[in-house]
Structures are given as C-alpha cells and as structure tokens.
Amino acid sequence: MNPGPGIDASHPSPVAEQLQRGFPWLRFEPTLEKTYRREHYELGLVQLRLNLLLALGLVLAFIAMDRLVTPATGVLVNVLRYGVIVPSLLACLGATWIPHGWRAYARAIAVLAPVALTAVAMLVLAAGEAGAPALFPALVLAALFAYYLVGLSFYAAVRTNLIALLAFVAGSSLADLPANLASYQAMTLFFANLVGATVAYNLEMARRTSWLESRLLAEMAERDGLTRTYNRRRLDGHLNRAWQQGIREQCPMALLMIDIDSFKSFNDRYGHQAGDEALKAVASVLAHAARRPLDFVGRYGGEEFLVVLYDTTKEYATELAQNILEGVRSLDIPHGASEVGNVLTVSVGVAYVVPMAGRSPDGFIQLADEALYAAKHGGRNRVHVMESEYAQLRTGSFRVANG
C-alpha cells in the first residue's frame, strides 16, 4: 500500500487511506465525514447566509410577480407563501447564527427544504390553474438553489427535489391544466433535476477530493522528520483545537505520554544511530496501536511522544496504553543498560478528563506528565492512569522524571 507521497507506510494517515480507497458514494469514514462537514459549513458560513438572503429576496420577488399576474389568490396560496416558504427560509437563516451549529443547520435544512420546495411546486400549479404558466421557471430556479446554494448535502438535495418532483407530478394530475402543458412541465423539471444532480455530484466529488488533498499536504509539512509522527507544532495546535471542541461538546479526552526508559543509557551504549532507529520503531508501534481515525500521535520532544484520544473511554485509553507497552517490548530491541530488563521498554502516563471552561490543555499535559512520573517512580515499564487528580491540579507544579 502506498498511502501517499511523503507519508511513511508504517504510519498510515486516515486521510491518505481515504484518498486511496476513494469515495464514489460521497461518504468518508464517519470521523472524517464529521470533520469535513463541520469545516465545510464553517468555511462557507458567510456565503451560505448571503445565499439564503438571496433566496428570500427571490421568493418575495416571485410572490410580487405572482400577485400581479394572478391577483385573486386563495387562502391556501397565502398559507403556502407566508406560512410555509418565507418562514422556512427565515428559520434556516436563523439556524446559521447558532454558535457552532453545523449540526443544527444540517437538520433544519434537511427538513425545511423539502417542505419549502414542495410549497413552491404547489404555488406554480396554482398559478398554472389561474392561467399563468409563465411562473413555472420559478420552480426550476428553486430546484437549482436546493442543489447548489443552501448547504444541502448531495443526497439531501436529491431527496428534496425528488419529493418536490413527485408532488408536482401528482398535483398536475389533479389540477385543471392542459395535459400537454402538464407533461411538458413535468419532463422539463425531471431533466432539470437530472442535470442538476449530475453537476452537484461532480462538484461534491471535486470539493471532497480537494479537501482531502489539502489536509494531506498539511500533514506532510507537519510530520517529524525522523519518526514521521506529527511534530510539536502540529501537536500543540491539534491539542488546543480538540480541547476547545471537547469543552463545547463535553466530550471526554485522554492524553498518553510515552517515554522510552533509560534512553540516554541506550544512546551511550549503542550510539545515536541505533537511538534514531529505536525512536522510529517505537513511533511505528504507536501509529499502529492508535488506529482510530481521530487518534493523534505526535513527538513531544526527545524520546517522549504524546497520543491524543478524543471522544474516548478510560477503558480504551488504558487498553491502548497496555498495547503500546507490549508492542514496544515485542520489538525485542536489546537494551543491556536498562534498569528493568534486557530489551527496550517504555513507561506510559495516561490523563483522562472531560475538558471544562477555565482549564487549559497545559493542565491536561501536566496531568499526563504527573501520571508518567508515577509510572517511572513505580519502576518503569508500566502504565499509570490519572483522572480525579485533575480537579486538584495546580498548573505549573510539574514533576520531572529521570530517564
């Protein structure tokens, strides 16, 4: 497998793997999909609001034209105009101001878009019955809006337009319209949807490919040159972002701090070249152990590594730490200067918390550092987990373990 240029095959990138597998159904694996949708929404939020305002303006303009062409309107028409379409657009527009509300907007638009578009179809049919078939292009325009401009996913846009198309066809069969006109409009709307869906699919495919490629390029620039894990700069940035997201979502996180036991003695005995090879081997164990898509492995400095786990359990973090411990031992790298055996080993400190306002990632790192100190002090080649100690932790009271 070749996961991508510049990425070591022993440290697979979820982004590179997704690019290699492809996504013909316009879906990434779940955690990447969640990240993509959130970033896509946040980056396009201003444009989305402008698009919704434009849609509202066009709706009001078509309502005005409709009133000029067919001034005698019934109660149902006004309900559709002012009780369904306009409120739906206003509700979606309001949802864009919910802080970090990409999920809320996705739910709102998925429900309200089919309702609003079906209401437009009913209005066009009502105008046709009143002798104003010229308003039919408003429905085609609304269909294109649903595909491209209101933030619907591809499948949600297709579903929205399919519901409206079926409603229009069913309504045409009941409305007092010439059969040839009804057939012409139905076929026109069908082919408009066919073209719209094809273009929307290709645009979504290109957008997703570009997103993956840009993330992969960023990963390549943020890898440690020796171990191919993430470097300290990327590690700090990722931890800060994950911490803020954890506060918003009240999502538990774990931080594993891994230190190679007696590494200075290893370098003194076997040389720095052997030390570099040992670092790369340990990094490979970490990368293969932390395989969930959002598990994050970075080199903290020297012979220390960090593994950031988001939306995890204490049990998973502890099991992962034990797997790392056993994985490094199974490398069977001779270490005649070790204090705990004849092979290379590591100690692992685990911090497990739910992020809270008023606390910082620095305290999270400190808790993991304290846990690592406890593992070292307890005899090395072991795992120590801390969680309840976080509430009493005083930032700045770091302990420094030896070797």
Side-chain angles (χ1 to χ4, degrees), residues 38-177:
R38 183 181 67 249
E39 290 188 2
H40 178 63
Y41 172 79
E42 291 173 352
L43 287 173
L45 185 55
V46 173
Q47 186 61 55
L48 176 61
R49 288 169 179 164
L50 292 174
N51 292 344
L52 289 170
L53 286 171
L54 175 61
L56 184 60
L58 289 173
V59 164
L60 294 176
F62 273 105
I63 287 176
M65 286 191 296
D66 189 18
R67 291 178 68 88
L68 289 174
V69 174
T70 56
T73 58
V75 174
L76 178 60
V77 170
N78 284 325
V79 168
L80 291 173
R81 288 171 175 170
Y82 306 114
V84 178
I85 300 173
V86 172
S88 294
L89 286 171
L90 290 174
C92 290
L93 187 60
T96 65
W97 265 275
I98 297 175
H100 315 292
W102 67 275
R103 284 194 187 90
Y105 181 79
R107 287 192 289 266
I109 194 67
V111 171
L112 294 175
V115 173
L117 192 58
T118 300
V120 172
M122 296 300 99
L123 283 178
V124 169
L125 286 173
E129 279 192 307
L135 288 179
F136 174 74
L139 180 57
V140 177
L141 185 62
L144 295 178
F145 248 90
Y147 276 117
Y148 307 121
L149 298 175
V150 294
L152 282 168
S153 68
F154 171 76
Y155 292 107
V158 170
R159 183 171 61 251
T160 293
N161 275 285
L162 182 60
I163 291 172
L165 174 61
L166 293 176
F168 184 80
V169 171
S172 296
S173 64
L174 300 174
D176 185 17
L177 294 176

Side-chain angles (χ1 to χ4, degrees), residues 60-383:
L60 294 176
F62 273 105
I63 287 176
M65 286 191 296
D66 189 18
R67 291 178 68 88
L68 289 174
V69 174
T70 56
T73 58
V75 174
L76 178 60
V77 170
N78 284 325
V79 168
L80 291 173
R81 288 171 175 170
Y82 306 114
V84 178
I85 300 173
V86 172
S88 294
L89 286 171
L90 290 174
C92 290
L93 187 60
T96 65
W97 265 275
I98 297 175
H100 315 292
W102 67 275
R103 284 194 187 90
Y105 181 79
R107 287 192 289 266
I109 194 67
V111 171
L112 294 175
V115 173
L117 192 58
T118 300
V120 172
M122 296 300 99
L123 283 178
V124 169
L125 286 173
E129 279 192 307
L135 288 179
F136 174 74
L139 180 57
V140 177
L141 185 62
L144 295 178
F145 248 90
Y147 276 117
Y148 307 121
L149 298 175
V150 294
L152 282 168
S153 68
F154 171 76
Y155 292 107
V158 170
R159 183 171 61 251
T160 293
N161 275 285
L162 182 60
I163 291 172
L165 174 61
L166 293 176
F168 184 80
V169 171
S172 296
S173 64
L174 300 174
D176 185 17
L177 294 176
N180 59 346
L181 176 63
S183 299
Y184 172 79
Q185 289 181 338
M187 290 300 295
T188 300
L189 188 57
F190 171 78
F191 284 114
N193 272 278
L194 187 61
V195 173
T198 301
V199 176
Y201 178 90
N202 291 330
L203 285 175
E204 179 70 6
M205 179 66 74
R207 187 160 48 231
R208 285 172 175 267
T209 301
S210 177
W211 184 81
L212 288 175
E213 289 175 344
S214 66
R215 287 183 71 90
L216 187 58
L217 287 172
E219 286 184 1
M220 291 165 57
E222 294 170 338
R223 296 272 177 168
D224 175 64
L226 176 65
T227 64
R228 304 306 299 158
T229 57
Y230 289 110
N231 58 29
R232 178 64 181 272
R233 179 181 177 184
R234 174 66 192 278
L235 177 60
D236 289 342
H238 174 82
L239 185 56
N240 285 328
R241 288 190 296 271
W243 184 263
Q244 294 304 318
Q245 184 176 341
I247 292 175
R248 294 193 299 268
E249 299 181 353
Q250 282 297 284
C251 199
M253 294 177 60
L255 184 64
L256 281 61
M257 183 173 284
I258 301 99
D259 183 82
I260 301 177
D261 296 323
S262 306
F263 189 66
K264 183 179 183 301
S265 300
F266 183 89
N267 273 336
D268 291 343
R269 180 156 185 164
Y270 299 101
H272 289 283
Q273 183 64 40
D276 288 348
E277 293 301 319
L279 284 169
K280 288 192 284 186
V282 170
S284 179
V285 170
L286 299 180
H288 282 93
R291 291 302 302 272
R292 297 189 317 167
L294 289 186
D295 292 351
F296 191 94
V297 180
R299 188 178 180 186
Y300 191 57
E303 69 274 19
E304 285 188 337
F305 298 86
L306 290 183
V307 177
V308 184
L309 306 179
Y310 187 80
D311 190 13
T312 188
T313 64
K314 181 181 176 182
E315 292 72 23
Y316 175 78
T318 304
E319 181 183 357
L320 180 62
Q322 291 290 350
N323 290 342
I324 289 170
L325 213 69
E326 295 167 7
V328 172
R329 282 199 300 260
S330 69
L331 293 172
D332 205 25
I333 299 174
H335 190 351
S338 172
E339 300 177 20
V340 292
N342 296 320
V343 297
L344 194 75
T345 60
V346 296
S347 298
V348 184
V350 180
Y352 180 76
V353 303
V354 176
M356 63 182 71
R359 304 304 294 266
S360 73
D362 292 337
F364 195 26
I365 294 174
Q366 182 183 342
L367 185 62
D369 183 72
E370 294 277 4
L372 178 60
Y373 172 84
K376 292 283 189 180
H377 188 69
R380 298 179 174 84
N381 187 28
R382 65 189 62 220
V383 173

